[in-house]
Amino acid sequence: MGQSLSKSWLVFRKGIRYSYDYIGMVMAASALWFFIGFLPLLVATTFSTYIKNPTVVGIALALTLVTLGPATAAVHAMMARILAREEVMVREFFQHFSRFFGRSIGIVLLNVLILAILASDFVFTINHSNNIVRMLSGIWVYFFIFWALMSNYIFPFLVNQDIGVFLTMKRAALLALDNAVVTIFLTISVVLVAGLSIVLAAAVLLLMMGIIAFLQNVAYLELMQKYDAEEEEIAEDLEV
């Protein structure tokens, strides 16, 4: 427990330090994430006065699901490269956006489906006439909490290991399960950053996604060190 708390503090401290050291890149990447990721919704909102059609808003929401995933992956890829001591340029956002476009959309759609299933099952059980079935509604709350925990590692796995959608989800889930304490504190940190960004409004444009990407990628790298060390030990044992 003590080691996990120490690791949690290390992740938070490193994530914030990198965010401060690369504040210019954080601001640029976060702004691009906001404007590119939410572009369809921003356009629909801008012209909502002239086009009062629910269908247009629905299409804008659907298109936002298409743009938000690749934009998020692009920010994560940029921050992952910074953590790898590589030189990063702002224009690389669009290269990463294109590179992870298909898989990011797949990840977003899969997660929307998961959330829809969890929500529908929760609503069904909580409104059921049978008391026993209503008691089971708590199970879906725990599943939602686990989804929130594992979501911290989805994009770090995608951009660092360059793997497919289902393998990304599987590895994110396993990492969260095996490192519950660190993941809980990471989630709290991410929620705090997101909450402050929403309250301060302008921070959504200038800081939020960059800081979150740093926190999540630092956590990924710190936790994966344990498994890399285990693989090295196994390799050494096999050689002997």
Side-chain angles (χ1 to χ4, degrees):
M1 182 67 173
Q3 187 176 0
S4 296
L5 291 175
S6 177
K7 180 75 75 174
S8 300
W9 171 243
L10 177 65
V11 167
F12 179 78
R13 182 166 52 84
K14 274 191 172 184
I16 298 301
R17 190 194 74 199
Y18 272 105
S19 299
Y20 176 79
D21 290 344
Y22 294 91
I23 188 67
M25 188 61 67
V26 166
M27 292 173 67
S30 297
L32 283 170
W33 171 79
F34 182 82
F35 285 114
I36 302 298
F38 291 94
L39 181 61
L41 202 55
L42 291 172
V43 172
T45 304
T46 302
F47 293 100
S48 61
T49 306
Y50 309 100
I51 307 174
K52 297 180 179 180
N53 190 332
T55 304
V56 174
V57 177
I59 293 172
L61 285 170
L63 290 176
T64 300
L65 294 178
V66 173
T67 55
L68 190 58
T72 304
V75 177
H76 275 271
M78 292 170 72
M79 302 312 159
R81 288 197 62 197
I82 290 174
L83 293 172
R85 310 288 184 182
E86 298 178 18
E87 186 177 351
V88 178
M89 305 295 288
V90 175
R91 64 174 178 268
E92 291 180 19
F93 176 93
F94 299 99
Q95 297 172 6
H96 297 305
F97 184 95
S98 176
R99 178 183 177 186
F100 296 106
F101 185 80
R103 283 173 290 174
S104 296
I105 293 174
I107 284 172
V108 170
L109 294 179
L110 179 58
N111 279 278
V112 169
L113 177 61
I114 291 171
L115 288 176
I117 292 171
L118 291 178
S120 61
D121 286 339
F122 175 77
V123 171
F124 172 77
T125 53
I126 199 69
N127 291 302
H128 201 277
S129 58
N130 189 297
N131 290 331
I132 296 176
V133 175
R134 282 204 300 271
M135 289 175 61
L136 294 175
S137 61
I139 295 175
W140 306 113
V141 175
Y142 284 112
F143 275 124
F144 173 78
I145 292 172
F146 175 67
W147 171 85
L149 295 177
M150 66 169 280
S151 64
N152 287 290
Y153 306 118
I154 292 174
F155 283 100
F157 266 111
L158 176 66
V159 302
N160 283 282
Q161 298 192 5
D162 201 10
I163 52 181
V165 173
F166 292 105
L167 188 55
T168 295
M169 296 291 290
K170 176 184 175 181
R171 291 183 179 178
L174 291 174
L175 191 63
L177 277 172
D178 199 35
N179 300 274
V181 175
V182 176
T183 305
I184 289 170
F185 279 95
L186 172 62
T187 305
I188 293 171
S189 300
V190 169
V191 170
L192 285 174
V193 170
L196 286 173
S197 297
I198 293 170
V199 170
L200 299 175
V204 174
L205 303 179
L206 300 177
L207 296 172
M208 186 177 81
M209 197 61 233
I211 296 176
I212 290 175
F214 263 133
L215 286 169
Q216 292 177 338
N217 278 278
V218 166
Y220 164 84
L221 292 174
E222 289 294 330
L223 294 176
M224 289 301 292
Q225 287 179 8
K226 176 175 66 175
Y227 306 103
D228 293 337
E230 289 176 356
E231 287 181 4
E232 290 178 3
E233 289 179 4
I234 293 172
E236 290 174 0
D237 291 340
L238 291 174
E239 289 177 2
V240 173

